[in-house]
DNA sequence: ATATCGTCCATACACCGTGTATGGTTCTCC
DNA sequence: GGAGAACCATACACGGTGTATGGACGATAT
């Protein structure tokens, strides 16, 4: 029944009905475009509340926008979230694929990538948690998220393919599948960290574990954390 | 605002208001207890529909039960799901922790455990998908799921601790964290498989990848799939 | 046998959230 | 000075949830 519509959501995100705002004569330097107001109000609300506890009415109040205006710019609450997600992911796109530049030590580069991911999630916790949680309720958001994860997977898979060492280690295993599993493991752990679930709420633990997993699977070596808190010295 | 209530959900699941049903004089051998009817009707509906597209009204129709009766047995739709989840997990509890009995080859045992997990998810796809997806909307279900995952994590952590080989390999890494990451990676991949997301919708790929991940992280060795479809021979 | 309790049903209702519709205002640009 | 863009207030239809209310029937207790 609820199946093939919803295409509008992805569209609705970039459709700007008009370009220039106007009104509010002289008074109230309150703001620029309502559209932006809605976006940032939502972003702000998401910092303290879960997406599903948020009603359009809440956003309306926070953004000081009328109901009619809201629905003029966005087809739904979900569309707003969709745009926020795209923004967040795009913003941290370079942080996207692990081992960015060809650093000398691949594991160190890997760790840096993982850490970037952690920061991205920390800075956009509410938004990213929201879309992960909306997987079950909204077709459009589900598709959007799968799409984003696919990008990450592509990057990882390409990296794996390009490294004969790693590629060989994986034998006749499905490379894309391995890449995808790594991506999704990250997604899950970052989410749990954002949700405050121990032990992942400790960023150091999170990064260690994730880095170790990637390194073990790809390079076959366990990773001693580079900054051992329990054990001092030894830079 | 929505914070500290909801304790009732976990309670509500096991509270059987009465024990023996009665009514329906002679006609309609239709059924036994309404409670069971509700449960299995929901289970059945979940086989084709996502939980959030399900209304109590739908369940009512499917179970041929009145609204009043429903709320007599369950405080909410979520409570029904909660009970279904408990049942499902308990049913496959033995399949719960990987490497069950002390099989000779630890990796083979691991693979068997992973496969059991896959089956559990296949048999209860709708229910398990539902609870994963409800993480964002319901406090009670979130707690329930975290609790279940904790059980799995406990089992894995205990196993790790008991094996000096593995324990040593992990160095000064947080063992529970590693165990938890393995658990959650599984949760994610099983979920994606159930949702039909490639490449995990292929059970063989799923099992291979997961087994390889566990083996790589714990035993430091990549795993060649035991039943290579691409390459024949070599039992 | 009658009271009462537990199981169940039908129906109705209060409440809240969503998305749409209507009609009106003010500003800009042609 | 008229068209139209960018807004606002309000109201409403719709659908879902959870809570009555009132009543029927069978079982058990008195």
């Amino acid at each position: 029944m609820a199946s093939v519509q919803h295409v509008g959501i992805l569209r609705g995100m970039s459709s700007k009905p008009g370009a220039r705002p106007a009104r509010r004569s002289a008074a109230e330097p309150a703001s620029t475009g309502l559209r932006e107001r809605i976006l940032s109000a939502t972003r702000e609300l998401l910092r303290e509340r879960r997406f599903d506890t948020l009603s359009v009415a809440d956003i309306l109040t926070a953004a000081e926008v009328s109901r009619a205006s809201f629905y003029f710019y966005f087809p739904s609450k979900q569309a707003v979230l969709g745009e926020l997600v795209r923004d967040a992911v795009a913003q941290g796109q370079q942080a996207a694929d692990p081992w960015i530049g060809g650093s000398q030590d691949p594991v160190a580069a890997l760790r840096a990538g993982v850490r970037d991911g952690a920061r991205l999630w920390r800075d956009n916790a509410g938004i990213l948690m929201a879309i992960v949680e909306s997987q079950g309720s909204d077709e459009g958001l589900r598709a959007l998220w799968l799409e984003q994860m696919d990008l990450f997977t592509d990057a990882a898979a390409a990296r794996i393919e390009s490294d004969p060492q790693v590629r060989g280690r994986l034998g006749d295993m499905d490379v894309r599948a391995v890449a995808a599993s790594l991506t999704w493991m990250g997604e899950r752990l970052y989410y749990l960290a954002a949700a405050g679930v121990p032990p992942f709420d400790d960023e150091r633990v999170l990064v260690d574990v994730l880095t170790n997993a990637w390194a073990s699977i790809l390079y076959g070596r366990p990773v001693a954390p580079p900054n051992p808190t329990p054990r001092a010295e030894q830079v």
Side-chain angles (χ1 to χ4, degrees), chain A residues 79-204:
Chain A
V80 179
L81 177 59
E83 184 143 336
L84 289 177
V85 169
R86 280 190 188 280
D87 288 355
V89 174
Q91 161 209 320
Q93 192 75 351
Q94 65 282 28
D97 80 306
W99 11 218
I100 356 98
S103 176
Q104 60 288 30
D105 181 11
V107 173
L110 226 177
R111 168 173 250 102
V114 170
R115 207 192 308 272
D116 284 347
R119 181 167 38 202
L120 176 63
W121 269 80
R122 189 176 359 102
D123 295 343
N124 301 281
I127 295 171
L128 297 177
M129 284 176 68
I131 199 183
V132 169
E133 292 169 352
S134 298
Q135 292 300 80
S137 50
D138 188 280
E139 284 277 351
L141 292 179
R142 173 163 42 236
L144 171 58
W145 193 233
L146 286 184
E147 191 188 306
Q148 302 298 325
M149 290 301 107
D150 254 5
L151 292 179
F152 285 58
T153 299
D154 287 343
R159 241 15 179 59
I160 293 176
E161 290 287 9
S162 77
D163 187 332
Q165 190 84 19
V166 177
R167 174 65 256 215
R169 207 189 128 76
L170 257 26
D172 48 5
M173 202 124 50
D174 183 333
V175 169
R176 257 212 69 108
V178 172
S181 71
L182 258 12
T183 298
W184 284 105
M185 173 168 67
E187 187 245 21
R188 209 38 167 173
L189 299 197
Y190 286 140
Y191 169 80
L192 291 169
V197 175
F200 305 114
D201 54 343
D202 180 336
E203 184 162 323
R204 211 168 50 73

Side-chain angles (χ1 to χ4, degrees), chain A residues 37-68:
Chain A
R37 281 231 297 272
I38 294 173
L39 253 4
S40 66
T42 307
R43 200 195 326 263
E44 220 53 41
L45 285 173
L46 245 21
R47 233 178 271 283
E48 317 202 317
R49 292 218 257 151
R50 291 196 177 259
F51 184 66
D52 70 294
T53 72
L54 231 58
S55 71
V56 242
D58 292 329
I59 300 178
L60 264 31
T61 325
E64 297 183 88
V65 159
S66 82
R67 190 169 195 75

Side-chain angles (χ1 to χ4, degrees), chain A residues 111 114-115 118 122 190 193 199-212 223-231:
Chain A
R111 168 173 250 102
V114 170
R115 207 192 308 272
R122 189 176 359 102
Y190 286 140
F200 305 114
D201 54 343
D202 180 336
E203 184 162 323
R204 211 168 50 73
V205 170
L206 172 67
V207 173
D208 282 354
V209 167
L210 249 184
T211 305
N212 179 67
V223 178
N227 48 353
T229 304
R231 184 185 305 161

